[in-house]
Amino acid sequence: MTKRILVWDAPTRAFHWLQALAFLGAYLTSDSEKYRDIHIALGYIMLGLIVFRLLWGFVGTRYARFSSFLFTPSVIFGYLGTLIRRKSAHFLGHNPAGSVSVWLLLSLGLLLGVSGVLALQDDASDAVIELHDMTTDIMLVVIGLHILGVIVSSVMHRENLVRAMVVGTKPSDTGEGIRKTYNGLALVMLVIVFAFGFVYLR
């Protein structure tokens, strides 16, 4: 019998949505001198979130760990082939295609944050600034593909992936859910990350 089980813990869900909001806010304020401080603060927040996610990827719950979505290229391409034929397997955590977007978003987000910090230095080179801008453009493309993938997967497997990343549960008949949500840790993460980000505004 299919039932709803807990898949995504609170820190993972908080990271997901806060990263999206931080990037969106930073992008919308990137060309305005008036909102320069807000842009930089959001960049620091995003960088802090990614640092947390990298740590949580090693010590977090089952489906948040990197080991749960570390697929070989052959598995990834094989999954894409089955996706085209509408015969793809269902995954409780990140599927092989989704794992690619996660790795790319984490890598690009880290590069975006580091290049942004370097671009703030008085002796920042044009190459660093260009790298920051180029990374932003690539990030937008990856986000677009990620959203498309979420829509396709939600339709094919008849499950609302957006809802799952909000409430943390997904329908399953295997009973392989996680046991704890770690709400307290998510709150601590929020406090630390936002404090880290707004140090710049002091």
Side-chain angles (χ1 to χ4, degrees), residues 21-154:
L21 291 174
F23 175 79
L24 176 61
Y27 179 75
L28 293 177
T29 56
S30 60
D31 294 328
S32 174
E33 188 64 30
K34 179 180 178 181
Y35 299 115
R36 180 176 182 273
D37 288 346
I38 295 178
H39 172 78
I40 296 173
L42 289 171
Y44 275 112
I45 289 174
M46 185 173 173
L47 186 58
L49 285 167
I50 291 176
V51 169
F52 168 81
R53 185 63 182 90
L54 291 176
L55 295 174
W56 194 239
F58 292 102
V59 301
T61 54
R62 177 177 180 177
Y63 299 105
R65 293 188 181 185
F66 296 140
S67 58
S68 73
F69 55 95
L70 189 62
F71 300 101
T72 63
S74 60
V75 172
I76 294 172
F77 284 113
Y79 177 83
L80 290 175
T82 61
L83 193 64
I84 294 174
R85 297 191 297 272
R86 297 185 179 183
K87 296 181 179 180
S88 61
H90 179 259
F91 290 77
L92 272 180
H94 293 298
N95 61 51
S99 72
V100 174
S101 67
V102 174
W103 290 115
L104 286 175
L105 289 172
L106 286 174
S107 301
L108 290 170
L110 185 61
L111 180 58
L112 198 60
V114 172
S115 62
V117 171
L118 294 176
L120 291 174
Q121 308 307 310
D122 294 334
D123 58 347
S125 65
D126 292 339
V128 170
I129 297 174
E130 290 177 3
L131 174 63
H132 188 69
D133 293 340
M134 181 178 66
T135 305
T136 300
D137 293 336
I138 298 174
M139 188 90 159
L140 287 170
V141 174
V142 174
I143 289 173
L145 292 174
H146 175 66
I147 294 173
L148 178 61
V150 168
I151 295 173
V152 171
S153 186
S154 294

